[in-house]
Amino acid sequence: MLNGMNPVDIAARSDLINEHWSPKIVAELNGQQVKLAKLKGEFVWHSHDVDELFFVLEGEFEMHLRGSVLPLKKGEMVVVPAGVEHKPVAHEEATVMLIEPVGVVNTGETGGDLTHEAEWI
């Protein structure tokens, strides 16, 4: 290993996630965190003051935006720009990778029951 670098087994880490809408951190670089999350059902409308990347690892989901819906399937990604209000919706369970700055709260300023502080797995 070079300077303590270790491979991250994404499939094994995602198997450790048992809750929906509760992102888990798997890596950090240059002030950004790489997170895994399982989605199912509807999230809340929210926005962030930073860009947020969603990459679909398994399943599919819809990114609802005010006035449009972006369907996303396995292997596709979308970047939600800073300030854009959005609401992920997954009719069946989907697994996504998120890349966003350290400290981003999953529900933005909206808060509520689905707010989770990301933990390392």
Side-chain angles (χ1 to χ4, degrees):
M1 296 296 143
L2 179 64
N3 295 327
M5 291 183 346
N6 293 307
V8 176
D9 184 333
I10 298 298
R13 297 284 175 98
S14 66
D15 286 346
L16 298 173
I17 300 172
N18 298 314
E19 298 175 84
H20 297 117
W21 309 112
S22 182
K24 306 297 182 197
I25 306 163
V26 295
E28 191 170 298
L29 68 153
N30 301 318
Q32 300 284 315
Q33 289 181 325
V34 179
K35 301 175 183 177
L36 300 177
K38 291 191 177 174
L39 317 180
K40 187 170 182 185
E42 291 193 23
F43 202 56
V44 295
W45 283 104
H46 68 287
S47 64
H48 304 280
D49 59 359
V50 295
D51 297 341
E52 186 177 31
L53 182 144
F54 291 79
F55 180 81
V56 184
L57 299 170
E58 294 293 333
E60 55 188 50
F61 78 101
E62 299 169 345
M63 183 61 73
H64 289 232
L65 306 168
R66 295 295 184 185
S68 65
V69 175
L70 301 174
L72 297 157
K73 59 186 179 201
K74 182 177 179 176
E76 294 182 330
M77 62 175 244
V78 66
V79 174
V80 177
V84 172
E85 199 171 19
H86 58 286
K87 176 177 80 166
V89 175
H91 300 290
E92 300 294 329
E93 185 174 82
T95 304
V96 299
M97 177 183 290
L98 301 153
I99 300 176
E100 55 195 12
V102 172
V104 169
V105 176
N106 67 333
T107 55
E109 298 293 320
T110 302
D113 294 340
L114 295 176
T115 301
H116 292 283
E117 186 173 325
E119 300 172 347
W120 282 85
I121 56 169

